[in-house]
Amino acid sequence: MSVAALPKISMSSPRHLGVKSLTNGLLLFLALCFLLPMVWLLLASFDTEATLAVNWPAQWSLANFAKVMTPEQTLIPLWNSFLLSAGCALVTVTCAVLAAYPLSRYPLRIKKPFLYGVLFGTGLPITAMMVPVYSLFVTLNLMDSLTGTMFFMAATSLPMAIWMTKNFMDEVPISLEEAAWVDGASSMQTLRAIVVPLMRPGIAVVFIFVFIQGWGNFFVPFVLLLSPDKQPAAVSIFSFFGQYGAVAYGQLAAFSLVYSVPVIVLYVIVQKVLGGSFAMAGAVKG
Amino acid sequence: MGGTGVLPVGTVTSPSAGEPRFPSRKKRPRPARLVPLLPATVLLAVFLLGPVVWSFYGSFTNSALTGAAANHTSFVGLDNYSSLFTSSAFPMSLLLTLIFVFASAVIGQNLIGLALAVLMRKSNKVVRAAVGASVVAAWVLPEIVAAFGAYAFFSNTGTLNVILHAVGLPTINWLYDTPMLAVTLANVWRGTAFSMMVYSAALMNIPPEITEAATVDGAGGWKRMWNITLPMIRRSISTNLMLITLQTLSVFTLIWVMTAGGPGSKSSTLPVLAYQEAFQFSNLGYGTAIATILLVVGAIFSIIYLRVLKPEVD
């Protein structure tokens, strides 16, 4: 093709401008569609007369928040959510760092089967498992136990956490440890003194990742925890909805908002740590 | 990203960290190296492998929460499975699950996610940031909150009908008359962010020279998309399809809050049916049989995924 026959692709061509504004318009429309259900949540929480539709509050008020911010309504469930997800993240990260070390450092015969097993475990539909998990918990006498639920949630997030932690650990050069080994340090000592400090951001990412998942988990505590004073916010919001939901939409929205803020903040922190715009998907780069 | 099991995918690069090169270390007893694997292995064995084994075993028994069978659980062979396939609820639920997965994940999330990723590369910065934030926000919200948002949006007096009415279109009682459509759209809203992020990352990795060369050769937008872009991100496409399929297969909360499987059983996909059978009709064996089938389906998808994509485990 001769140069003269080249199609005009300069930025200023009118056709290109038209396509561009069409693209922007379409995208803004899609953004609006995605935003609408969430706008309801925001507006309804400040509106004492909230209905199910998006409505500009006639009078902005914090009354909904004041109503739900009682110990038994919100604070205890939020505390339970914190216990569950922080405990789960702590257990998961500890086990994952320990497990990732030999997988990252040694040529092990079981490495391949172990990592394939872990990958396979990430694909298990946990929701599908809840019926047998319930039976297992009844048999082990773990029903209605926060600790039992926490360990189960840790086990479900462990495959993903091991995978991520191993990848972060692979980035820490082994040469740093070799010097310490020569001086007689054990591998567990170098793990604690050299590897873990160097991969702190990675560990933080895994911890927050597991924490967010635990915080948002509804089905697992819904099945495994029975007493209201042990239930996390996800389950107590659901019970609140069942009891008062049909009348108190504003309070439901306020409760939901209070419960959502921590994970949104944590998500933003992870983005900052990892630096990319869609860093969470980094783990799934094809 | 409540409950969405984000699978790790792709190649584990950097075999670099490598193995210790110190001959002296070889004298250490090898089994000691495996000790750090123990806590994770025990947790996985008890709480993941345990329920899976239990599921297969339990699906062959008549265990129940109450009644005579609650005290005397006995082996009933394939009874649970044969009653599954002869009942009307299970085949219907299986069909609904397939529709749900296909329409909301394979079509909805996948195509809209790809479209968003492609369009966002051509849009201006502010628009891109706004779109990214609003799509991802729906995905970051805890699932129960997202479910309430979707419930309010689709309910009879909700935002969608108010808008439809305002522009003069007929309104529909979404949750009652078209429950499957409502939960499908809700799942698209909830999950598209994931596909969008995967495809954004993939498109960023295409060297610009290649598309430029094609443009110079006169390839139009669609042609470039079909002949260059899509083939170059095919690995991401198959990865993404597998992951969102597995995620959508186990969606429970969204449907439970919006329709509770109803009206009747018009939107009870397999996870919802398993829950209802086991905990509402206290028929644990039957519920376990459904769970087992879901596990097998999930396992088949995982195996295909491991086979096709061959993630490098170094």
Side-chain angles (χ1 to χ4, degrees):
Chain A
M1 184 183 276
S2 73
V3 179
L6 272 180
K8 271 193 181 161
I9 51 164
S10 81
M11 296 299 279
S12 54
S13 83
R15 184 172 162 266
H16 195 274
L17 269 181
V19 170
K20 198 152 181 145
S21 50
L22 197 70
T23 308
N24 285 330
L26 185 64
L27 278 175
L28 283 177
F29 174 74
L30 281 171
L32 189 70
C33 292
F34 273 87
L35 218 50
L36 269 178
M38 289 178 278
V39 171
W40 170 77
L41 214 61
L42 200 64
L43 294 180
S45 67
F46 292 102
D47 187 352
T48 47
E49 316 267 284
T51 62
L52 281 171
V54 168
N55 229 331
W56 198 255
Q59 202 175 1
W60 291 76
S61 140
L62 291 172
N64 289 327
F65 291 94
K67 273 238 175 69
V68 294
M69 286 297 240
T70 59
E72 57 280 14
Q73 194 68 70
T74 322
L75 302 181
I76 292 175
L78 284 176
W79 175 244
N80 288 338
S81 287
F82 177 77
L83 283 182
L84 264 185
S85 30
C88 164
L90 204 64
V91 170
T92 307
V93 168
T94 311
C95 291
V97 169
L98 285 174
Y101 188 77
L103 293 173
S104 166
R105 289 324 196 220
Y106 305 133
L108 299 173
R109 197 172 297 155
I110 63 149
K111 184 180 335 189
K112 227 175 183 165
F114 191 90
L115 281 175
Y116 270 121
V118 162
L119 262 184
F120 191 73
T122 53
L124 283 179
I126 301 299
T127 323
M129 273 172 53
M130 284 322 288
V131 179
V133 167
Y134 173 87
S135 311
L136 183 78
F137 267 56
V138 171
T139 311
L140 296 177
N141 211 4
L142 283 173
M143 275 308 288
D144 205 23
S145 146
L146 269 174
T147 320
T149 309
M150 184 197 82
F151 274 106
F152 173 70
M153 281 162 58
T156 59
S157 36
L158 204 47
M160 182 65 190
I162 292 178
W163 191 264
M164 286 171 79
T165 311
K166 179 185 171 290
N167 283 354
F168 283 122
M169 204 177 273
D170 284 346
E171 306 284 314
V172 179
I174 199 163
S175 50
L176 297 168
E177 281 176 86
E178 285 170 339
W181 285 336
V182 172
D183 292 340
S186 75
S187 57
M188 282 299 108
Q189 279 170 329
T190 56
L191 171 64
R192 208 187 56 231
I194 299 171
V195 181
V196 167
L198 280 174
M199 57 179 289
R200 221 179 267 150
I203 291 179
V205 167
V206 178
F207 186 93
I208 294 177
F209 189 85
V210 177
F211 186 95
I212 292 178
Q213 277 195 333
W215 186 268
N217 202 324
F218 164 76
F219 197 37
V220 171
F222 180 59
V223 171
L224 297 180
L225 295 173
L226 305 171
S227 16
D229 59 320
K230 286 183 186 167
Q231 281 166 349
V235 180
S236 69
I237 287 183
F238 184 73
S239 331
F240 176 86
F241 172 69
Q243 283 164 13
Y244 319 102
V247 271
Y249 293 119
Q251 292 176 37
L252 179 74
F255 192 175
S256 300
L257 208 61
V258 170
Y259 162 64
S260 306
V261 166
V263 292
I264 295 170
V265 171
L266 284 175
Y267 181 77
V268 173
I269 292 176
V270 170
Q271 299 295 356
K272 286 263 146 58
V273 171
L274 290 180
S277 53
F278 298 134
M280 279 293 202
V284 286
K285 215 162 60 180
Chain B
M1 70 227 82
T4 49
V6 182
L7 286 180
V9 183
T11 53
V12 188
T13 43
S14 104
S16 60
E19 283 74 47
R21 283 149 239 144
F22 273 68
S24 62
R25 307 225 1 120
K26 282 192 177 157
K27 285 174 198 150
R28 288 174 147 258
R30 290 297 173 96
R33 294 180 165 186
L34 300 179
V35 172
L37 284 172
L38 261 180
T41 312
V42 170
L43 261 187
L44 290 173
V46 173
F47 288 112
L48 279 192
L49 193 62
V52 171
V53 173
W54 194 276
S55 185
F56 278 89
Y57 166 76
S59 65
F60 296 109
T61 69
N62 66 345
S63 68
L65 290 176
T66 52
N71 299 323
H72 306 283
T73 302
S74 59
F75 198 72
V76 296
L78 289 168
D79 278 10
N80 285 318
Y81 291 100
S82 58
S83 63
L84 263 191
F85 285 99
T86 49
S87 74
S88 64
F90 178 79
M92 187 63 200
S93 174
L94 187 64
L95 185 67
L96 289 177
T97 311
L98 291 176
I99 294 173
F100 182 63
V101 169
F102 188 74
S104 73
V106 178
I107 300 290
Q109 293 182 7
N110 186 45
L111 292 186
I112 297 178
L114 180 62
L116 281 171
V118 170
L119 290 177
M120 278 165 80
R121 288 174 69 78
K122 293 179 183 147
S123 68
N124 75 46
K125 239 188 195 158
V126 183
V127 174
R128 187 168 17 190
V131 175
S134 56
V135 175
V136 170
W139 180 71
V140 172
L141 277 185
E143 58 178 339
I144 189 88
V145 177
F148 282 136
Y151 169 81
F153 187 73
F154 285 106
S155 58
N156 206 16
T157 54
T159 308
L160 182 56
N161 273 347
V162 168
I163 292 174
L164 287 178
H165 185 73
V167 296
L169 290 169
T171 60
I172 304 172
N173 193 347
W174 296 90
L175 297 175
Y176 197 81
D177 294 333
T178 54
M180 276 311 284
L181 183 62
V183 295
T184 299
L185 290 173
N187 193 46
V188 172
W189 167 71
R190 165 88 173 141
T192 296
F194 186 79
S195 303
M196 182 189 81
M197 292 188 287
V198 170
Y199 290 138
S200 288
L203 291 177
M204 236 179 278
N205 287 338
I206 297 181
E209 306 88 63
I210 295 184
T211 22
E212 273 163 28
T215 315
V216 171
D217 286 345
W222 289 110
K223 219 172 180 178
R224 275 205 308 272
M225 185 76 200
W226 190 252
N227 291 327
I228 295 165
T229 311
L230 289 182
M232 286 200 74
I233 61 167
R234 64 180 187 282
R235 240 182 106 86
S236 297
I237 296 175
S238 44
T239 304
N240 183 53
L241 279 177
M242 198 55 71
L243 298 187
I244 58 177
T245 301
L246 285 168
Q247 276 166 22
T248 306
L249 205 56
S250 58
V251 167
F252 171 84
T253 309
L254 200 64
I255 300 178
W256 190 247
V257 169
M258 288 177 70
T259 67
S265 56
K266 281 199 184 117
S267 60
S268 48
T269 55
L270 288 177
V272 175
L273 185 69
Y275 178 84
Q276 286 173 324
E277 286 293 341
F279 300 119
Q280 293 189 324
F281 311 131
S282 89
N283 198 348
L284 271 186
Y286 191 91
T288 310
I290 300 173
T292 310
I293 289 178
L294 262 176
L295 280 176
V296 170
V297 173
I300 292 173
F301 273 111
S302 297
I303 290 170
I304 296 175
Y305 152 69
L306 290 178
R307 292 243 123 182
V308 172
L309 295 166
K310 295 193 184 68
E312 274 169 38
V313 176
D314 65 271

